[in-house]
Amino acid sequence: MELELRHLRTLRTIAEAGSLTRAATVLGLAQPALSAQLRRIERTLGGTLFERGRHGVRATALGELVLERTRIVLPAVSELQQEAAEFARGRREAERLRLGGTHGPLLGALVDRLADAAPGTSLTTRASWSERELAGLLAEGRLDFALAGTCGSAPPPDGTHLVWEEIAVDPVFVMLADTHPLAGGREIDLAALADEEWACVPGDGCFGDCFTAACARAGFTPRRMYETDTASCVHLAQVGRAVGLCRATFPSTPGLTTRPLAGTPLVWRHLLGWRPAGQRPGTAATVLAQSRKAHEDAAARSDGYARWLAHRGEPAARRTAAPGARP
């Protein structure tokens, strides 16, 4: 038989009780069973641990040695168990946030803000051009929060038992090469771009319909649309191959000028989605608040957007809802 912690606890109980009868009562055992267990422990340790007398039991020299060790070992093991349990509980309770987002500056800005606001939180990210994919990942519990968006007042992506909260609504800007003839104006009429080719990051919302409708209202049909990644859209605009559609918060980029469209024919609604069953209310409130601040920071860093807002006399955190297209 190998000595176990329960054996040491049994010896401590016998010593503290002063008799096998009382110890058996404390341990919830029959006295013969306790006596048999004590004999097995003594055989394992190689000698008698207690002398039995009319008035109970008394530890032998070997028993005192063992009991002295139990005074060290048992509290140490108890402390270890408590610390381990607290550590494991803390690990379970520690925030782990898996964030998803479509293209744009908000996902990175949100990660930056959460890293400061919740320094103990483990953050991971996943980018996708598809709002529906992000909604599916939320519904499956594979993401905790997702930054997505819709054209104007279009409904958010479908998802089972998901909540979508609005962060902000931005105008859609266009990005042009610095050398473009219209780059120097304060804003650009969509009709003035009738002969241009276009570039935009793809999406699975109502981009095609909304953009085509806006162009039709301006009196033309767009010649060609390049749906590609952000870097390619930037390149096509920089070399003058296309005019890009972008969010008003698009960061300043060498060789590019961003300008608002006159009359704001296209807008984009930023949304934060999550599955309430998978999040604590306080966490959702924190991420939503930090998402809105991330947007405000992005708007403040965009000179073009700041000028546009100042001209309209509106605050940086703009809240509107109107038909529009995906930037």
Side-chain angles (χ1 to χ4, degrees):
M1 182 186 80
E2 292 187 358
L3 193 65
E4 300 176 11
L5 287 175
R6 62 187 179 91
H7 298 144
L8 298 182
R9 294 189 180 98
T10 296
L11 297 179
R12 289 285 301 169
T13 301
I14 293 172
E16 292 170 356
S19 78
L20 290 178
T21 301
R22 288 192 291 272
T25 300
V26 172
L27 295 169
L29 299 173
Q31 182 176 333
L34 178 58
S35 297
Q37 185 180 106
L38 177 58
R39 287 194 295 272
R40 289 194 296 272
I41 295 172
E42 289 176 329
R43 284 197 298 271
T44 299
L45 293 175
T48 302
L49 300 177
F50 293 99
E51 293 178 349
R52 297 157 178 80
R54 289 190 309 169
H55 302 293
V57 297
R58 186 178 57 158
T60 64
L62 176 59
E64 288 290 353
L65 173 65
V66 174
L67 290 171
E68 184 64 28
R69 295 295 187 271
T70 66
R71 296 186 184 97
I72 299 172
V73 172
L74 292 178
V77 171
S78 178
E79 184 177 356
L80 171 62
Q81 290 175 325
Q82 182 177 355
E83 290 179 356
E86 290 176 353
F87 179 82
R89 184 168 58 253
R91 293 275 294 196
R92 289 193 299 270
E93 293 176 353
E95 288 284 2
R96 182 192 66 157
L97 295 181
R98 299 160 298 173
L99 308 176
T102 51
H103 70 100
L106 287 190
L107 182 57
L110 176 59
V111 170
D112 183 44
R113 294 199 65 91
L114 287 175
D116 288 335
T121 301
S122 172
L123 299 171
T124 60
T125 60
R126 177 166 180 166
S128 172
W129 60 265
S130 170
E131 289 87 1
R132 292 176 189 169
E133 179 186 19
L134 293 175
L137 293 173
L138 286 176
E140 295 167 7
R142 296 166 61 189
L143 282 179
D144 297 308
F145 293 91
L147 289 166
T150 64
C151 305
S153 57
D158 291 335
T160 305
H161 307 303
L162 298 184
V163 167
W164 293 95
E165 287 286 344
E166 184 178 288
I167 298 171
V169 180
D170 291 336
V172 175
F173 279 18
V174 291
M175 54 183 177
L176 316 141
D178 286 342
T179 56
H180 193 286
L182 298 177
R186 191 185 69 197
E187 60 182 15
I188 300 174
D189 285 318
L190 185 57
L193 300 169
D195 294 331
E196 300 287 348
E197 295 182 353
W198 298 86
C200 186
V201 174
D204 48 19
C206 55
F207 165 72
D209 291 339
C210 292
F211 178 64
T212 300
C215 293
R217 290 193 298 270
F220 71 96
T221 299
R223 291 174 56 196
R224 180 180 295 174
M225 171 62 74
Y226 299 101
E227 289 191 333
T228 184
D229 60 276
T230 301
S232 296
C233 288
V234 168
H235 176 77
L236 291 172
Q238 285 173 325
V239 299
R241 175 62 60 186
V243 171
L245 290 169
C246 66
R247 302 174 187 183
T249 53
F250 193 85
S252 298
T253 304
L256 276 186
T257 295
T258 60
R259 288 290 181 265
L261 291 168
T264 315
L266 311 170
V267 297
W268 183 251
R269 188 160 61 111
H270 299 276
L271 301 171
L272 178 72
W274 69 91
R275 186 167 56 94
Q279 295 299 329
R280 286 174 280 185
T283 301
T286 296
V287 176
L288 179 59
Q290 294 302 324
S291 298
R292 287 172 173 161
K293 290 179 180 177
H295 176 269
E296 292 173 10
D297 292 344
R301 288 194 300 270
S302 172
D303 294 339
Y305 196 12
R307 286 194 299 269
W308 185 86
L309 291 171
H311 178 72
R312 295 173 65 93
E314 296 185 15
R318 183 170 175 262
R319 302 279 188 267
T320 63
R326 187 187 199 283

